[in-house]
């Protein structure tokens, strides 16, 4: 039998999932590894889905999603992002991840390059691999609050074959919220080098300081594609509804790829997403306030333990500096699970830029975060770490 595709065989899994698998079912382990809100989906959203099922909305929808949801998403772009987007520019997808894959399938030929943040969400590199494309990392430095070095970015944008510049603000795992000026310049750089910008804005409504700005506000010629989802904003990760906004020509191509991948997003989950986007928004503010309080707890505890790198300004993650005890964060994260009852994401999974850190999720209650930091501090102090610097 001939082998399966070697690129997929060789593709590393996300280290976050590996830790999740190791920690699953182990009694007493504190879970700070996964980026999933611990809140329940608000009841009015759940009720909208139940109603949709009862009313018989249990069939395929159009590939690009229902008209009603696409209009609700266009309304959200006006309300939250200050963007004028028509319904035919919107494609509803199976979570943001499906929107990112679809966008990159439409834009990138095999062998072409995608500029991705380092540290950044590992799935960007996985998608590049699956498409036979190249992920070209651009470094984000803690000393600059994980904003890009714009000169460096401009020189990487000139790399032959690079076609897409991927932006993720607020960022995972950094918690960076890029400034208006930086984002304006990023779009300018893309224009100068004829790149598309793919902006992953899934954490757009989880901002503690600064403001969320969509790079598309600086778009003059349809080169910025915007991705978001209801997953993080409304505690709806399992419902799997994301979306993409682009020119109507690119959106039509994206909808065509959906036919081959998922046919359409789940119909009752679309009804739930519509209720989320058009219903009361106080749940969004309440959850964001809770994440802010947890961020403050984590900052204070990490700072006291001498492990703080910087204060996240958005999203729900914080990086802890473990470089004084390990150079192998994968082994260290495994040891934390097995020996210290703590599950966190190994920094190396986010690229070389994450290799001195582990990532803690703030999507857990404050007392769990406090106890988690205490266990991490204990582990870094005890020297009983497999994978430790010797
Ligand atoms: N983009 C980033 C930066 C993420 O961190 C995640 C999930 O962790 C996603 C996209 C995926 O979102 P969804 O669950 O809507 O596919």
């Amino acid at each position: 039998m001939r082998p399966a595709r070697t690129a997929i065989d060789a593709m590393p899994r996300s280290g976050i999932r590996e830790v999740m698998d190791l920690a699953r079912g182990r009694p007493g382990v504190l879970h700070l590894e996964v980026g999933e809100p611990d809140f329940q989906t608000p009841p009015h959203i759940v009720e909208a889905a139940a109603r949709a099922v009862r009313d018989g909305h249990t069939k395929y929808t159009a590939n690009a999603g229902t008209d009603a949801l696409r209009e609700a998403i266009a309304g959200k772009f006006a309300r939250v992002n200050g963007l004028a987007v028509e319904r035919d520019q919107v494609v509803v997808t199976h979570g943001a991840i499906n929107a990112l894959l679809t966008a990159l399938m439409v834009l990138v030929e095999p062998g072409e390059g995608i500029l991705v943040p380092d540290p950044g969400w590992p799935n960007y590199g996985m998608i590049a691999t699956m498409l036979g494309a190249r992920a070209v990392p651009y470094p984000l430095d803690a000393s600059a609050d994980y904003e890009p070095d714009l000169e460096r970015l401009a020189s990487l944008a000139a790399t032959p074959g690079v076609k897409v510049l991927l932006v993720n603000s607020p960022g995972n795992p950094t918690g960076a919220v890029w400034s208006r000026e930086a984002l304006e310049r990023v779009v300018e750089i893309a224009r100068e080098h004829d790149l598309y910008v793919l902006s992953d804005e899934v954490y757009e409504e989880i901002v503690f300081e600064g403001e969320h700005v969509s790079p598309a506000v600086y778009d003059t010629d349809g080169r910025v594609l915007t991705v978001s989802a209801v997953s993080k904003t409304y505690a709806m990760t399992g419902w799997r509804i994301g979306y993409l906004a682009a020119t109507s020509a690119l959106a039509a191509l994206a909808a065509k790829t959906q036919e081959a991948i998922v046919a359409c997003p789940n119909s009752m989950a679309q009804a739930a997403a519509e209720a989320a986007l058009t219903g009361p928004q106080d749940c969004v503010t309440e959850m964001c306030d809770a994440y802010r309080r947890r961020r403050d707890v984590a900052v204070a505890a990490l700072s006291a333990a001498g492990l703080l790198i910087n204060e996240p300004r958005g999203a729900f993650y914080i990086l802890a500096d473990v470089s004084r005890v390990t150079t192998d964060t994968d082994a260290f994260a495994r040891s934390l699970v097995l020996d210290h009852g703590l599950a966190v994401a190994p920094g190396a999974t986010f690229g070389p830029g994450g290799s001195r850190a582990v990532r803690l999720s703030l999507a857990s209650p404050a007392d769990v975060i406090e106890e988690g930091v205490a266990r991490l501090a204990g582990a870094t102090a005890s020297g009983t770490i497999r994978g430790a610097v010797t």
Side-chain angles (χ1 to χ4, degrees):
M1 185 105 64
R2 295 203 290 174
R5 253 182 89 194
T6 46
I8 305 296
D9 194 28
M11 180 170 74
R13 287 187 69 202
S14 150
I16 310 165
R17 293 269 153 188
E18 283 183 348
V19 168
M20 266 172 85
D21 289 348
L22 182 67
R24 186 172 296 116
R26 266 175 206 278
V29 172
L30 296 179
H31 291 274
L32 296 179
E33 77 275 39
V34 70
E36 172 158 73
D38 58 325
F39 300 107
Q40 288 301 321
T41 303
H44 70 281
I45 300 175
V46 175
E47 184 44 39
R51 206 177 318 118
V53 178
R54 281 196 300 269
D55 293 350
H57 296 293
T58 55
K59 313 280 189 200
Y60 291 129
T61 68
N63 298 151
T66 63
D67 283 353
L69 178 54
R70 294 168 82 198
E71 257 154 37
I73 291 167
K76 177 257 149 185
F77 275 118
R79 173 171 59 82
V80 175
N81 312 88
L83 291 170
V85 171
E86 300 293 330
R87 184 178 77 195
D88 71 346
Q89 295 178 262
V90 174
V91 180
V92 184
T93 57
H94 189 79
I97 182 71
N98 173 217
L100 293 162
L101 171 67
T102 288
L104 290 168
M105 276 171 66
V106 165
L107 297 176
V108 180
E109 302 283 359
E112 288 184 327
I114 306 163
L115 283 166
V116 297
D118 172 22
W121 195 42
N123 300 46
Y124 302 141
M126 294 173 83
I127 296 177
T129 302
M130 291 192 299
L131 298 180
R134 280 179 301 127
V136 180
Y138 62 90
L140 301 175
D141 205 276
S143 62
D145 258 339
Y146 296 110
E147 285 222 351
D149 173 338
L150 294 164
E151 271 178 38
R152 184 84 197 280
L153 187 62
S155 79
L156 285 167
T159 311
V162 164
K163 189 158 181 195
V164 177
L165 196 174
L166 205 148
V167 171
N168 174 219
S169 171
N172 175 9
T174 61
V177 177
W178 292 7
S179 66
R180 199 168 261 287
E181 295 71 31
L183 287 163
E184 182 170 15
R185 178 70 191 125
V186 163
V187 177
E188 230 172 67
I189 290 171
R191 206 175 295 124
E192 283 161 15
H193 296 277
D194 194 16
L195 308 184
Y196 287 98
V197 175
L198 180 57
S199 179
D200 177 352
E201 304 181 19
V202 290
Y203 298 104
E204 62 187 328
E205 303 230 46
I206 306 170
V207 174
F208 316 128
E209 278 97 36
E211 54 172 342
H212 171 68
V213 177
S214 291
V217 299
Y218 300 112
D219 193 13
T220 50
D221 51 6
R223 66 179 62 247
V224 180
L225 291 79
T226 307
V227 165
S228 194
V230 292
S231 310
K232 314 285 180 176
T233 308
Y234 300 96
M236 290 179 71
T237 42
W239 298 78
R240 309 307 304 133
I241 297 292
Y243 50 87
L244 167 71
T247 60
S248 29
L250 288 174
L253 294 178
K256 188 155 70 169
T257 69
Q258 290 299 88
E259 170 71 41
I261 314 173
V262 290
C264 67
N266 173 304
S267 55
M268 34 275 186
Q270 291 190 64
E274 189 190 329
L277 294 170
T278 56
Q281 299 297 304
D282 25 332
C283 54
V284 176
T285 320
E286 282 160 21
M287 287 189 271
C288 184
D289 287 347
Y291 296 133
R292 180 188 287 105
R293 286 194 295 274
R294 295 163 179 193
R295 187 274 313 256
D296 292 344
V297 164
V299 164
L302 286 173
S303 167
L307 302 174
L308 183 70
I309 297 179
N310 71 343
E311 275 192 37
R313 288 149 49 89
F316 44 56
Y317 305 103
I318 191 162
L319 291 169
D321 186 350
V322 294
S323 58
R324 69 170 185 243
V325 287
T326 187
T327 50
D328 179 348
T329 59
D330 288 315
F332 181 66
R334 279 195 298 277
S335 171
L336 283 178
V337 173
L338 300 175
D339 306 328
H340 299 274
L342 176 65
V344 297
T349 201
F350 303 101
S355 62
R356 56 186 261 243
V358 292
R359 187 199 73 177
L360 282 61
S361 166
L362 304 175
S364 296
D367 56 335
V368 176
I369 293 169
E370 249 176 337
E371 173 60 21
V373 174
R375 289 186 191 184
L376 178 64
T380 55
S382 71
T384 57
I385 299 160
R386 292 175 237 183
V389 175
T390 49

